[in-house]
Amino acid sequence: MAAYVIIPGIDGSDGQHWQTLWERRWGTSAVRISPASWSAPDLDDWVDAVQEAYDDASQQDSHVVLVAHSLGCWAASVWLNKNPSSPTGGAFLVAPPDPHGPAFPRQAAATFVEVSAQPLPCPALVVGSTNDPYCTPEAAAGFAARWEARWHLAGAFGHINSAGGLGSWQHGRELLDSLTQQ
């Protein structure tokens, strides 16, 4: 078993989002970040929220896995690089937005604009989509390479969120399992 830190994107994940459905399934083994700045994300606030959730999750199990979506991927990567010695069983990074892409919410998430992908201190898997409006597959593959993470192109699933009708996203669970069983 493992404990999971759920790191959604802007405004959190709604009730039909795969992250929320997984969190419900995992029960007390999952801890969602709760930054004060959900709608106007502040990177420091989000990284602090990851730390708090990690601290809670690590009390459940010593094997902690980060499960991030969208802007949460950047908060996860920054937290990991600030805490390289924290025991982390893996980082599942889904649909990271491109901070330099045309659809990036520069005004709402201004403190995230200058983030850069650097090698991560744990096993990681980046999952992208062929038609994500926030990131091209090429940019996402580039982030994966710079994070020294495995890369998986899932197909045409938009931003890989509840709008895509993925439900509990069984393929995603299989990908997560492949990461945590390394």
Side-chain angles (χ1 to χ4, degrees):
M1 192 63 189
Y4 301 93
V5 174
I6 307 294
I7 311 169
I10 292 177
D11 291 326
S13 298
D14 65 31
Q16 299 307 308
H17 194 288
W18 58 267
Q19 276 184 315
T20 302
L21 299 173
W22 291 6
E23 180 182 4
R24 286 186 198 135
R25 184 174 176 185
W26 290 328
T28 59
S29 295
V31 180
R32 180 182 291 244
I33 68 166
S34 55
S37 60
W38 270 126
S39 297
D42 175 76
L43 182 59
D44 290 337
D45 179 40
W46 281 42
V47 170
D48 290 347
V50 173
Q51 181 66 56
E52 289 175 32
Y54 176 86
D55 291 344
D56 289 347
S58 63
Q59 292 177 10
Q60 301 294 323
D61 195 292
S62 60
H63 186 76
V64 177
V65 177
L66 307 183
V67 179
H69 177 258
S70 191
L71 204 59
C73 296
W74 290 109
S77 70
V78 170
W79 180 84
L80 283 163
N81 282 308
K82 286 185 173 188
N83 297 279
S85 61
S86 292
T88 307
F92 187 65
L93 307 171
V94 178
D98 182 353
H100 302 290
F104 191 81
R106 281 177 184 72
Q107 287 187 301
T111 58
F112 284 77
V113 172
E114 297 302 320
V115 294
S116 63
Q118 300 170 22
L120 298 176
C122 68
L125 173 62
V126 177
V127 180
S129 168
T130 59
N131 61 342
D132 187 338
Y134 297 100
C135 190
T136 66
E138 296 79 14
F143 300 146
R146 290 192 298 284
W147 278 325
E148 296 182 358
R150 287 182 19 228
W151 162 242
H152 179 81
L153 188 58
F157 294 106
H159 196 46
I160 313 179
N161 56 14
S162 56
L166 294 170
S168 63
W169 192 33
Q170 183 59 37
H171 182 64
R173 284 298 311 271
E174 293 164 4
L175 292 169
L176 176 63
D177 290 346
S178 76
L179 170 68
T180 58
Q181 294 171 1
Q182 284 185 334

